[in-house]
């Protein structure tokens, strides 16, 4: 059975002082939690703080973006090796906000994914459709294209030490959650698509759901057979809410 993962995505929120309380609360709240993996993906400047606060605990930390090159003259960018220097385990790539506001193509996202793995990080690859694409019946095509860009560039084996997060764009930060049946249907599609290349990789792959996951809907989502946890935005900024979602992951 796959172990559940609950990962927070803090986005561009927080302050040094506020984060300290949040990280302390998550650390102590997770002390007794044995059956779930937990991580927080924080803005770059807060990585040293996350490292200092979470080292030695069961809670991992990571970043929300990475540059696709290992090193070079790319002023303002951050490499995967730099993230490793600050103890990151994870990095989110291809979040829909990066695709929409920063023009990141699926090919570029695949390059970032592979750069993360070269440095020993676990990439969390976000995929998902817009509302218009869903209404046009294009959900599977869109998700397939986003996955195929990675498989074309890195081979299906790239998905062995990785996480995929299905995040329907219309559900992110909107309070509209996909029903557990809608989410399960896309998760099944993702697993089957990968299984058409390699059954074992597909069976072992951790596929998160993201999009307005809260403490009250997490249990039902996490009970679905192909939902292996969640990528949590807004609710990861409130310790009690995030911990309640983690506990839901531990129970299912
Ligand atoms: C996200 O940031 O990836 C996300 C899913 O946000 P929210 O939980 O707020 O919808």
């Amino acid at each position: 059975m796959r172990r559940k993962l609950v990962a927070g995505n803090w986005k561009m929120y927080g302050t040094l002082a506020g984060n300290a309380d949040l990280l302390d609360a998550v650390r102590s709240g997770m002390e007794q939690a044995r059956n779930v993996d937990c991580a927080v993906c924080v803005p770059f400047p807060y990585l040293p703080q996350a490292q200092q606060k979470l080292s030695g605990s069961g809670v991992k930390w990571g970043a929300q973006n990475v540059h696709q090159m290992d090193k070079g003259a790319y002023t303002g960018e951050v490499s995967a090796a730099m993230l490793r220097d600050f103890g990151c385990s994870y990095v989110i790539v291809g979040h829909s906000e990066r695709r929409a506001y920063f023009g990141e193509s699926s090919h570029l996202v695949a390059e970032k994914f592979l750069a993360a793995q070269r440095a020993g990080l676990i990439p969390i690859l976000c995929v998902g459709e817009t509302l218009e694409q869903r209404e046009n019946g294009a959900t599977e095509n869109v998700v397939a294209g986003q996955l195929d860009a990675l498989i074309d560039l890195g081979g299906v084996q790239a998905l062995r030490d990785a996480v995929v997060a299905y995040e329907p764009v219309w559900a992110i930060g909107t309070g509209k959650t996909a029903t557990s049946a809608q989410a399960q249907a896309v998760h099944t599609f993702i697993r089957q698509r990968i299984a058409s290349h390699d059954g074992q990789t597909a069976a072992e792959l951790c596929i998160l759901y993201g999009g307005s996951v809260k403490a009250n809907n997490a249990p039902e989502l996490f009970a679905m057979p192909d939902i292996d946890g969640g990528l949590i935005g807004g609710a990861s900024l409130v310790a009690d809410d995030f911990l309640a979602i983690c506990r839901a992951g531990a129970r299912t």
Side-chain angles (χ1 to χ4, degrees):
M1 198 171 138
R2 293 176 300 271
R3 199 177 153 85
K4 294 269 193 297
L5 167 67
V6 177
N9 173 15
W10 286 10
K11 308 198 185 186
M12 201 171 73
Y13 293 112
T15 62
L16 208 55
N19 299 342
D21 292 342
L22 180 53
L23 291 166
D24 285 342
V26 170
R27 180 183 178 127
S28 66
M30 288 305 294
E31 252 154 32
Q32 307 303 324
R34 295 273 169 271
N35 300 324
V36 63
D37 291 325
C38 172
V40 288
C41 294
V42 307
F44 293 139
Y46 297 140
L47 286 171
Q49 185 187 29
Q51 182 174 32
Q52 190 230 324
K53 291 277 183 193
L54 299 175
S55 285
S57 79
V59 182
K60 311 269 192 230
W61 59 97
Q64 301 166 18
N65 186 26
V66 66
H67 196 263
Q68 66 273 22
M69 302 301 286
D70 295 336
K71 58 166 74 167
Y74 302 103
T75 301
E77 294 295 328
V78 174
S79 74
M82 292 171 182
L83 299 181
R84 279 302 291 165
D85 262 352
F86 287 90
C88 287
S89 297
Y90 296 98
V91 61
I92 298 171
V93 296
H95 192 280
S96 65
E97 290 152 14
R98 303 254 7 132
R99 293 177 190 264
Y101 305 142
F102 302 95
E104 293 192 4
S105 67
S106 292
H107 180 79
L108 176 64
V109 171
E111 290 183 318
K112 290 182 176 218
F113 180 110
L114 296 173
Q117 283 186 327
R118 282 196 298 277
L121 296 167
I122 299 175
I124 301 176
L125 170 69
C126 296
V127 299
E129 80 289 0
T130 63
L131 185 58
E132 191 186 0
Q133 289 164 334
R134 174 164 280 264
E135 284 173 351
N136 290 336
T139 299
E140 291 190 352
N141 264 344
V142 169
V143 170
Q146 292 167 336
L147 285 174
D148 290 354
L150 173 68
I151 295 170
D152 289 348
L153 197 66
V156 71
Q157 67 274 11
L159 285 159
R160 272 185 210 146
D161 288 307
V163 173
V164 170
Y166 168 56
E167 296 212 309
V169 180
W170 47 272
I172 298 176
T174 59
K176 283 188 205 144
T177 321
T179 64
S180 50
Q182 281 173 323
Q184 167 62 23
V186 181
H187 283 230
T188 305
F189 171 76
I190 292 170
R191 213 178 289 287
Q192 282 173 351
R193 186 141 191 119
I194 295 165
S196 71
H197 296 271
D198 179 19
Q200 192 182 342
T201 300
E204 291 173 359
L205 181 66
C206 174
I207 309 178
L208 307 182
Y209 168 78
S212 298
V213 177
K214 308 286 177 212
N216 62 355
N217 57 28
E220 190 183 333
L221 286 160
F222 293 175
M224 302 309 282
D226 286 297
I227 300 184
D228 304 315
L231 182 57
I232 319 297
S236 70
L237 299 170
V238 179
D240 285 348
D241 294 351
F242 187 60
L243 288 167
I245 296 169
C246 292
R247 280 194 294 274
R251 279 196 302 273
T252 45

